[in-house]
Amino acid sequence: MAPRKSKKKAPSFRKLLKTSNIKIENKLKNRQFKQQSIAKKHRKEQKKLKQALNNAATRTPLPLERYKKRHEEEEEEEFEETLPVDMMEDDDLEQMKAMAQKASFLTRDLSSSEPVHARKRKQENVMDKYEKVPRLMQKEQEKELIHLLPIKDKTGIIPQTMEKPVVKKAEKENEDEGDGDGAEEVNAPKPLPLLTTQELVVLRRKRLEERKVCIAALGSSILSDPSANIKKLKELRSMLVELDPYVAVTVRKLVMVSLMEIFKDIVPSYRIRPLTEAEKSTKVKKETQQLREFEEGLVSQYKFYLENLEQTVKDWKQMKKKKSDVVSLKSYKGLAEVAVKCLCELLVALPHFNFHNNIIVMIVPLMNHDCKKISEMSCEAVRKLFKQDKVGQASLGMVKVISGLVKSRNYEVKPEVLKALLCLRVKEVEVKKDADDIAPKKRFMNFKEKRKHLSRMQRKWKKAEEKLEKELLEAEATECKEKKLKLHTETLNIVFLTYFRILKKAQKSILLPCVLEGLAKFAHLINVEFFDDLLIVLHKLVESGDLSYRESLHCIQTAFHVLSGQGDVLNIDPLKFYTHLYKTLLRLHAGTANDDMIIVLQCLDVMLTKRRKQVSVQRALAFIKRLTTLSLQVLPNSTVGILATNRVLMHTFPKSDILLDNESQGSGIYLPELDEPEYCNPQNTSLWELHTLQRHYHPIVRKFAAHLIVGAPSEGSGALNVDLSRKSATDLFEDYSIKGMTFNPPVATPSSKKKEKFTIGDALLDSDLKKQIDSHLEATSIPSDLNFAAHFRKAFI
């Protein structure tokens, strides 16, 4: 009869390959720990045995107890004493003598129901109990098995193994030490050698060079052939827990950066999804199997790497040092900064790959961190992600997390968190669809419908037509565009929800300027249903007086962006916003911090130029006059921007040329102190400031002033250059800015030529003045009395 086959399934080849050196080392450690625990028990039992023998040798026998006997017992003893000893057998007599030597037998109360041998079992000799324990024979350590390539025959796959001898470690056992001494000896770290400072520097440099060479070798091998050397990622990642105290911090930083660059190079341009059970069970080609193994290993190592980075940041936040860690608490900050930098790089470089949402969840809270460097790195990475995201999937995930952070912190976050939302690439959203868009799309006919309604030739032509239409749809990429619009719409809905919450619940928060700036940028995309409520809130904020100058400008800019887009259909006159801007124009900062000027120029463009049909001539004349007055007290780049705006307004409103005439028209005089632009009589004044600006030290200001004095012609001698006439006011403001401490256009340098000869002669052109100076210089005596009044009278006589 053939031997029965074992039911235990032979391990597969892939499972055998997964056995790593770390698992083998763990098995060895577990086996050594078991041997140590058995040795401890053996020592304990020997101690107990020695103590029992010592107690037995030193213990003295207890005296026999005496107790009064009952009447029946006395009669029995008398009867037994009367019996002859000769009638007892020798064996019985010896047994009686032996029993007489035991005190327990003589002193025991026979009337009790306790078994005879109960105490004997309790007080059994320790030696007998120890003898019953089987001896621990010295056994040889089991040899580890090395799994070789299997052999396949007719019966199936036969696994092959080979014995691997294990190196025996010498154990120092001390019987007199306590139970915990052995474990302390095993786990005690080796003391560091005592070296001088110079020797330590040399040793550290040497070890660091070795680690660098190892990192470079592993990195180059992975990059040369990622699919074949994907397992070396694990070896490189294991260096993140470097235990050498001399180079631990530097090596960990180098490994973090190296792994980050490696992942940026070898990660594919698509998202890797996990395989289903059906896909795993199906047989595939060798190349496909290799690709699957590469993708699986890449995703797992990428996940472990991100977990290591996250744990590094958490350790720095908690400032709790691990017992097994050789890195000091002071070094945690440097490691955390490198970890955050790696996370930011991966956030920007791999927005399409796995675990991108996990990176977002890690980075967004760091934007509000107290550490300035980490906060700036996180905010800059988020801004880069928003700027380069064309589809909108990554931006949507980021906006969701930022909105949740702002709400969870009760709107107490840094303004930089909301300023990052200004970099969103959202230019259009979904609007209410027309009837043509709502109509169902054209559906292609199936095979049964074609066979029923069409002939054979018609079916052939129909098939070619449908194929052509599908190709055209793919070329237009309508599906991608619809998906992009959908994502952008959802993103903006979350952004506006966050903005409106702050406007409603935290109007005195430091986030209000960022909210107003964001509303000013995305106001043209707001739904028409919110326009009335939004304008009411903005007007209340402006009238409250609690806002700064920049915040009030953002309110005005937001209101007019709303009205210039879809708000054209609303019958709203924003006179209050015109009045507020006209009133606050002269409060503009005239120094180097004149960043508010660009907001003023944008507001003027939206309020006056784009709404020219809703603006009266009186209002336009009042703004031109106030802007010209403002140009006298600001920096050159602001003056250029204001004069360029005036030029556009003079072209937009041709009747404004009356400001270039000295004669007044109509009744009344100009009231510059009045805050109402409609009633300040601007038609009765003139732009006399342009004559002052013609003598300005900046050449571009002089050109614009001369151009406006002659009526801002488009052609002729008074026209501007093409470069100046085609640029907008905001572009001119940026071009002639002096932030970099440079003068545009550059100042001509003086000539370096020196005169070779100096002529000696009269330096003064006036001969009479020359004679008076010479006479005074030749006079030897100085008059003692200096009576200037007498000399003055003589001169007039």
Side-chain angles (χ1 to χ4, degrees):
M1 187 175 178
R4 188 176 179 181
K5 291 186 179 180
S6 176
K7 292 183 179 180
K8 188 174 181 181
K9 189 177 179 180
S12 62
F13 178 62
R14 289 183 64 189
K15 191 172 182 181
L16 295 176
L17 287 179
K18 286 184 178 178
T19 305
S20 61
N21 295 331
I22 298 176
K23 291 184 179 180
I24 295 173
E25 291 176 3
N26 292 337
K27 290 180 181 179
L28 289 175
K29 289 179 182 178
N30 293 336
R31 192 168 295 160
Q32 291 173 3
F33 180 74
K34 288 180 181 179
Q35 291 176 358
Q36 290 172 4
S37 60
I38 292 171
K40 285 181 188 177
K41 290 180 181 179
H42 180 63
R43 289 197 295 271
K44 285 183 181 180
E45 291 176 356
Q46 284 184 343
K47 279 187 179 182
K48 289 181 180 179
L49 177 60
K50 287 181 181 180
Q51 190 173 2
L53 292 174
N54 293 334
N55 294 338
T58 57
R59 187 174 59 185
T60 57
L62 298 174
L64 298 176
E65 296 180 1
R66 300 291 182 180
Y67 62 95
K68 292 182 180 181
K69 299 178 181 179
R70 290 179 294 182
H71 182 67
E72 293 83 6
E73 293 177 356
E74 290 178 357
E75 289 179 355
E76 288 177 2
E77 286 183 2
E78 289 176 359
F79 175 75
E80 288 175 356
E81 288 176 358
T82 58
L83 291 175
V85 184
D86 299 336
M87 295 176 64
M88 299 180 66
E89 293 182 359
D90 295 337
D91 297 336
D92 297 333
L93 185 61
E94 289 177 1
Q95 186 178 1
M96 291 293 292
K97 290 180 180 180
M99 292 173 66
Q101 293 177 1
K102 296 182 180 179
S104 62
F105 175 74
L106 299 175
T107 58
R108 180 174 174 268
D109 187 4
L110 298 177
S111 62
S112 64
S113 60
E114 185 179 1
V116 179
H117 300 289
R119 292 186 182 179
K120 182 179 179 182
R121 288 175 184 171
K122 290 182 180 179
Q123 298 178 359
E124 189 178 7
N125 194 359
V126 183
M127 289 293 294
D128 297 338
K129 188 176 181 180
Y130 178 72
E131 287 296 333
K132 292 178 183 179
V133 179
R135 299 294 187 270
L136 292 174
M137 304 301 292
Q138 187 176 2
K139 298 181 180 180
E140 293 184 358
Q141 248 183 348
E142 295 183 2
K143 296 183 178 180
E144 296 293 333
L145 297 178
I146 300 174
H147 300 284
L148 304 177
L149 293 174
I151 300 174
K152 185 177 181 181
D153 57 359
K154 296 179 180 180
T155 59
I157 297 175
I158 303 173
Q160 299 293 317
T161 58
M162 183 181 72
E163 294 182 354
K164 177 183 177 182
V166 181
V167 180
K168 296 182 179 181
K169 297 182 179 179
E171 298 180 357
K172 297 181 180 179
E173 298 181 358
N174 191 1
E175 297 179 357
D176 299 334
E177 291 179 355
D179 300 339
D181 295 340
E184 291 178 1
E185 288 179 2
V186 175
N187 298 329
K190 296 181 181 180
L192 297 175
L194 298 176
L195 302 174
T196 62
T197 306
Q198 187 176 2
E199 291 175 346
L200 286 174
V201 172
V202 174
L203 179 63
R204 181 184 181 279
R205 191 177 300 165
K206 181 180 178 182
R207 292 182 181 179
L208 189 59
E209 288 296 327
E210 293 176 357
R211 301 299 194 281
K212 285 182 179 179
V213 171
C214 181
I215 294 171
L218 290 173
S220 61
S221 61
I222 293 170
L223 292 176
S224 61
D225 193 357
S227 58
N229 300 321
I230 192 64
K231 292 184 178 179
K232 292 189 178 180
L233 272 175
K234 185 176 182 180
E235 186 177 352
L236 183 59
R237 189 176 55 81
S238 64
M239 298 179 72
L240 285 173
V241 289
E242 177 66 39
L243 299 178
D244 192 348
Y246 295 119
V247 295
V249 178
T250 308
V251 170
R252 292 183 185 186
K253 290 180 181 179
L254 292 174
V255 174
M256 285 180 191
V257 179
S258 302
L259 282 171
M260 181 260 295
E261 294 295 338
I262 289 172
F263 280 121
K264 285 170 63 177
D265 287 339
I266 68 174
V267 161
S269 59
Y270 55 88
R271 187 181 184 87
I272 299 175
R273 62 173 181 83
L275 299 175
T276 60
E277 295 296 332
E279 290 175 343
K280 291 179 181 178
S281 60
T282 55
K283 292 183 178 180
V284 294
K285 295 180 180 179
K286 185 178 179 181
E287 293 79 6
T288 308
Q289 185 64 29
Q290 289 179 355
L291 180 61
R292 286 183 177 181
E293 291 177 359
F294 166 71
E295 290 177 348
E296 184 181 356
L298 178 63
V299 171
S300 62
Q301 293 303 320
Y302 187 61
K303 177 185 176 183
F304 292 142
Y305 172 62
L306 293 179
E307 288 176 352
N308 288 333
L309 296 180
E310 183 182 10
Q311 189 61 42
T312 303
V313 178
K314 283 184 179 179
D315 293 341
W316 170 64
K317 284 183 178 179
Q318 298 172 358
M319 293 303 288
K320 291 182 181 180
K321 183 178 180 181
K322 299 180 181 178
K323 295 181 180 179
S324 60
D325 204 350
V326 296
V327 179
S328 62
L329 287 173
K330 295 181 181 179
S331 303
Y332 277 12
K333 184 177 180 181
L335 289 172
E337 288 178 357
V338 178
V340 172
K341 185 177 181 180
C342 294
L343 287 171
C344 293
E345 290 288 335
L346 295 174
L347 177 74
V348 178
L350 306 176
H352 61 279
F353 198 58
N354 302 49
F355 310 112
H356 189 257
N357 291 334
N358 302 75
I359 301 177
I360 290 174
V361 173
M362 285 189 281
I363 289 294
V364 169
L366 296 176
M367 297 171 67
N368 193 41
H369 201 270
D370 296 333
C371 182
K372 185 177 179 181
K373 186 174 181 180
I374 289 181
S375 177
E376 288 179 354
M377 282 194 297
S378 304
C379 294
E380 184 63 27
V382 173
R383 286 193 289 268
K384 284 184 180 178
L385 179 66
F386 284 151
K387 289 178 182 178
Q388 74 176 22
D389 187 19
K390 297 180 180 179
V391 179
Q393 186 69 44
S395 299
L396 177 60
M398 182 68 72
V399 168
K400 285 182 179 179
V401 180
I402 290 176
S403 177
L405 175 70
V406 174
K407 187 179 179 181
S408 62
R409 298 290 177 87
N410 198 16
Y411 313 106
E412 294 180 357
V413 296
K414 291 184 176 181
E416 288 78 9
V417 178
L418 287 184
K419 283 183 180 178
L421 298 177
L422 299 175
C423 299
L424 283 169
R425 294 184 58 178
V426 180
K427 296 182 179 179
E428 55 181 349
V429 293
E430 284 183 338
V431 294
K432 291 185 178 180
K433 296 182 178 180
D434 300 331
D436 297 338
D437 298 330
I438 298 174
K441 295 182 179 179
K442 185 179 180 181
R443 187 175 62 87
F444 296 112
M445 299 175 67
N446 56 22
F447 180 73
K448 289 184 178 179
E449 293 176 350
K450 290 178 182 177
R451 192 169 184 178
K452 184 178 179 180
H453 300 287
L454 302 176
S455 64
R456 184 176 180 182
M457 184 59 68
Q458 288 176 340
R459 288 199 298 269
K460 187 175 181 181
W461 281 101
K462 191 71 176 177
K463 185 177 180 181
E465 184 181 353
E466 289 179 356
K467 184 179 179 181
L468 180 61
E469 288 182 0
K470 286 182 180 179
E471 291 178 356
L472 290 174
L473 287 175
E474 291 177 359
E476 290 178 1
T478 54
E479 184 179 357
C480 182
K481 187 177 181 180
E482 291 177 358
K483 181 181 178 182
K484 182 179 177 181
L485 282 176
K486 187 177 181 180
L487 291 173
H488 285 182
T489 305
E490 189 175 355
T491 302
L492 269 186
N493 288 339
I494 299 173
V495 171
F496 288 141
L497 179 62
T498 306
Y499 286 165
F500 294 156
R501 280 175 180 168
I502 296 173
L503 282 176
K504 184 178 179 181
K505 299 181 180 180
Q507 291 187 357
K508 295 184 179 181
S509 172
I510 59 174
L511 302 178
L512 189 59
C514 306
V515 172
L516 296 173
E517 191 172 355
L519 287 173
K521 180 175 182 180
F522 303 116
H524 61 286
L525 301 173
I526 301 177
N527 197 346
V528 184
E529 299 173 358
F530 303 110
F531 282 1
D532 291 335
D533 298 332
L534 183 59
L535 288 175
I536 292 171
V537 172
L538 293 175
H539 182 258
K540 287 182 180 179
L541 288 173
V542 169
E543 293 296 328
S544 64
D546 298 333
L547 303 180
S548 64
Y549 186 72
R550 188 179 183 88
E551 293 170 5
S552 63
L553 288 177
H554 280 307
C555 281
I556 297 170
Q557 188 179 9
T558 304
F560 281 98
H561 272 299
V562 168
L563 295 174
S564 63
Q566 304 176 41
D568 288 338
V569 296
L570 301 176
N571 189 14
I572 298 175
D573 184 18
L575 179 61
K576 297 176 181 179
F577 294 104
Y578 281 104
T579 304
H580 183 76
L581 180 62
Y582 181 79
K583 180 173 60 177
T584 58
L585 268 179
L586 296 178
R587 300 178 188 174
L588 191 67
H589 198 290
T592 54
N594 60 345
D595 295 334
D596 299 338
M597 176 55 72
I598 193 168
I599 306 176
V600 171
L601 297 176
Q602 292 173 357
C603 289
L604 292 170
D605 182 47
V606 178
M607 296 167 63
L608 300 175
T609 308
K610 294 183 179 179
R611 292 175 59 88
R612 60 175 68 89
K613 295 181 180 180
Q614 290 87 3
V615 178
S616 63
V617 178
Q618 295 290 329
R619 192 180 299 175
L621 294 176
F623 271 98
I624 292 173
K625 175 60 179 176
R626 180 146 292 193
L627 287 173
T628 311
T629 306
L630 179 65
S631 63
L632 295 174
Q633 62 186 33
V634 292
L635 293 178
N637 58 332
S638 301
T639 304
V640 172
I642 290 173
L643 295 179
T645 303
N646 282 347
R647 176 179 178 271
V648 174
L649 292 177
M650 292 175 74
H651 288 170
T652 307
F653 301 95
K655 293 184 179 180
S656 60
D657 57 354
I658 61 175
L659 294 174
L660 302 176
D661 193 358
N662 292 331
E663 297 180 0
S664 61
Q665 296 183 5
S667 61
I669 59 173
Y670 175 60
L671 303 174
E673 71 279 359
L674 193 65
D675 294 334
E676 295 292 336
E678 298 283 349
Y679 308 107
C680 64
N681 300 323
Q683 73 278 1
N684 294 326
T685 185
S686 60
L687 301 179
W688 55 265
E689 295 89 356
L690 295 177
H691 291 278
T692 306
L693 293 174
Q694 276 187 315
R695 295 188 293 273
H696 199 278
Y697 66 89
H698 200 283
I700 305 299
V701 175
R702 294 197 298 269
K703 285 183 180 180
F704 267 98
H707 173 68
L708 294 178
I709 282 178
V710 296
S714 302
E715 297 177 354
S717 58
L720 287 176
N721 297 333
V722 178
D723 297 337
L724 296 176
S725 60
R726 289 185 177 180
K727 288 185 178 180
S728 63
T730 54
D731 293 339
L732 291 170
F733 174 80
E734 294 291 344
D735 291 344
Y736 296 101
S737 177
I738 58 173
K739 284 185 177 179
M741 300 302 292
T742 56
F743 190 80
N744 187 14
V747 181
T749 56
S751 59
S752 60
K753 295 181 179 180
K754 296 182 180 179
K755 294 183 179 180
E756 298 178 357
K757 298 179 181 180
F758 292 93
T759 57
I760 301 173
D762 296 338
L764 298 174
L765 298 177
D766 192 352
S767 57
D768 296 336
L769 181 61
K770 179 72 172 61
K771 290 178 180 179
Q772 291 181 10
I773 293 173
D774 292 340
S775 63
H776 282 288
L777 292 176
E778 291 174 358
T780 55
S781 62
I782 300 174
S784 58
D785 54 338
L786 298 175
N787 192 354
F788 294 102
H791 287 288
F792 186 72
R793 284 194 297 270
K794 290 179 181 179
F796 276 93
I797 292 171

